[in-house]
Amino acid sequence: MQRAALLGGEAQMAAGDVGELLVPYMPTIRVPKSGDRVYKTECAFSYESPDSEGGLYVCMNTFLGFGREHIERHYRKTGQCVYMHLKRHAIKKVPGASGGALPKRRNAKLFLDLETNGDLSSDDFEYEDEAKLVIFPDHYEISLPNIEELPALVTIACDALLSAKSPYRKQDPDSWEEELQASKHAKTLVQLDNGVRIPPSGWKCSKCDLRENLWLNLTDGSVLCGKWFFDGSGGNGHALEHYKEMGYPLAVKLGTITPDGADVYSFDEEEPVLDPHIAKHLAHFGIDMLQMQGTENGLRDNDIKPRVSEWEVIQEAGVKLKPMYGPGYTGMKNLGNSCYLNAVMQTIFSIPEFQRAYVGNLPRIFDYSPLDPTQDFNTQMAKLGHGLLSGQYSKPPVKSELIEQVMKEEHKPQQNGISPKMFKAFISKGHPEFSSNRQQDAQEFFLHLMNLVERNAIGSENPSDVFRFLVEERTQCCQSRKVRYTERVDYIMQLPVAMEAATNKDELIAYELKRREAEAARRAPPELVRAKIPFSACLQAFSEPNNVDDFWSSALQAKSAGVKSSRFASFPEYLVVQIKKFTFGLDWVPKKLDVSIEMPDILDINHLRARGLQPGEEELPDVAPPIIIPDDPKGTDFSSFLAALDIDESAVMQLAEMGFPLEACRKAVYYTGNMGAEVAFNWIIAHMEEPDFAEPLVISAFGGLDSTAAAGLGAVGLDNQPPEEMVAIIISMGFQRNVAIQALKATNNNLERAVEWIFSHPEPEEESEPALDVMDMENNVNANILAATGSEEPRIKDGPGRYELFGFISHMGTSTMSGHYVCHLKKEGRWVIYNDLRVCASERPPKDLGYIYFYHRIPS
């Protein structure tokens, strides 16, 4: 028996030897069961796939996939010897007598859920999938199928692996992982040249005049209603009747067309499908996808104003952009409303500290990864960072003069861009919003990511520290003039939009009058006029004092008027500035302020440096407001008692404007005792991954309060220890665990008094109980991005407050629940736009329309 060459050579053996060869490894070969995740399309450490030159190796025990570069690591770590090697070949078709290619199929597909390579034309190429078993360390290869020679268990295991569904699929049809397949009709669809043009609005069914659940037939342009089972919104089924009568198979739902695609249904295939040529099919009826955008009622309209359309300006449509290739210029596939993730991760991995922490430590992270690296945060961060920065998946197309030579025998496809399926599946696991296919707030995802970075910090290195800064809050009683200074940790500077400072008010008033007239007359709206807000006005609004609703003055021992202002107690290495464009209308529907703010390239905020207690200022006394609890709570309707404890709706709205679910905001404000939006924000970050995070606030009778509610009211634990929820809240403010426990014990578990106690006792007394010496943050399930790690000083990187803009994330659409995100980054002296898979040199970066801006400190 001849020894095979490393990774690719075949060992020659007699037919009867195959079964004997596998006997020693039979105990390690498993048959995939329901619930097993089979990764047969992507490497756990890279973006190699069966399409890659080296193919993919799938472990027959763990069902993890590995590229050629990483298979030896898994073998050495686990001792697993038997792998299935999967390889997809793209073969040029044999020309027929008439010169056309013959539709020759040399092998049926073995793994049907593998995406086809987009740079190959199916007219000229066919796919041939190859599977073989490989036995390590000698790399013996056994071609499949080989039913006669393989043991029955091995044959069953191989068949089960090849037929296994994608590990990213879920039963929930709303999940992003449920991938649609391209329709078999898409490429050959016949479209009638009947002159039909579809207007941008005012659609109705041509047979029954219904104006909802309308479908455009992509063959003849008929607009007809669907039935309830298409999307649940009702209809008389005229679209289906039309298909049965005419046989035209594909229809697109009007109101779902965006620059990213549309909802397409195949009557023939009886399921939703993908149409790779949807832009061309829509253009046949006069619909330009790049101009489709959302309206506030959830439908889609065509705003034919390319000069001012937010979609076109931000994406720089209408300008020929030069594609960029190489390290740092790798695109990311949109998995279905995952553009928010793409924009944030492109920005994060443009920062040197994150590059060093993950890509710089890649060998160590990979070598010490757990047995299932798909479920390890640092491994998946290193994988994503390497995919974006290596240049391996961002190569220019082959020069035309080389194409013929390359295509002679077998095409070796180049993968441009990466598909972050594994990363998104892991990072969104258990999160009710990020695990869905709905659009999300990039700012909320940024905080979620920092939470995970914090929890999974490698040793003492924590790259999220570059965003971390201290905020000094000054609260003043307007009647007594006394003040209180507190500090908290934050990661984002939130700038309010000073609409009252618009420099084009007359134009805005005139536009609004014209818009209302056009709406009343059912005419096309006038050309959009966008409010122009000076950046200085937004900065001024940030620094001005705000009224504190329901303020209780410890100086007066009563409620009084109070004001609060914020300053920077430290300046971060990287400053993240969010423009608070999202708000709520009177109907509680989230809305977006469409404004233009000229953000400066150089930002100096040194004047916002905190100054602390000033000469002549007198501090508010360390006295907490009284809390009245009924004498006999068990016999009382506790809900009526709580009605007296009003929830601070202004704090609720502040949090909701950040993009958090409204019910979660109400719970956060309630459970933190109306102590303000900042403390409630810490509660949200600590609880946002809990399954009932967005469920409505429910208060049971006092005797049946859960630990969370009890913590909110300062209830004493049965073991005389402070409730863990309250400890976590105080830790989230930047204090050590032993200080939090000591403060709560000293104030009978009154949360507000405990915080004031800490500030009035800068050097906490020694505690005799040994439990207070235990600083095990890993046992605190509520550890969050604001949690201290046990260090004596807050982890901040203070320095001068002068910054330079290097990136910004922009949002198109009317709310965080819809629309599209792109990011612009300044690299090598020029701006680059990252629009999912498209990475191009920017010609006109729309710095005035951004949503989140990223600045780096200018060294002094």
Side-chain angles (χ1 to χ4, degrees), residues 515-574:
R515 188 192 65 78
R516 290 181 180 179
E517 291 173 0
E519 186 176 300
R522 306 183 73 85
R523 298 195 308 265
E527 183 171 302
L528 176 67
V529 176
R530 185 173 286 115
K532 297 179 181 178
I533 313 295
F535 173 76
S536 57
C538 298
L539 202 60
Q540 178 66 26
F542 171 83
S543 61
E544 287 179 351
N546 297 312
N547 292 329
V548 180
D549 295 328
D550 206 28
F551 175 71
W552 189 87
S553 171
S554 60
L556 304 175
Q557 292 286 295
K559 289 187 177 181
S560 172
V563 293
K564 179 185 290 186
S565 58
S566 300
R567 292 290 188 274
F568 285 83
S570 69
F571 291 122
E573 186 74 21
Y574 289 84

Side-chain angles (χ1 to χ4, degrees), residues 425-456:
F426 173 75
I427 201 170
S428 62
K429 184 174 60 177
H431 193 285
E433 294 299 323
F434 299 136
S435 61
S436 74
N437 72 340
R438 297 183 292 274
Q439 186 60 276
Q440 303 299 327
D441 188 349
Q443 178 254 11
E444 186 177 345
F445 178 74
F446 171 80
L447 291 175
H448 175 67
L449 178 68
M450 293 304 104
N451 183 8
L452 294 175
V453 171
E454 180 86 18
R455 292 182 180 184
N456 296 276

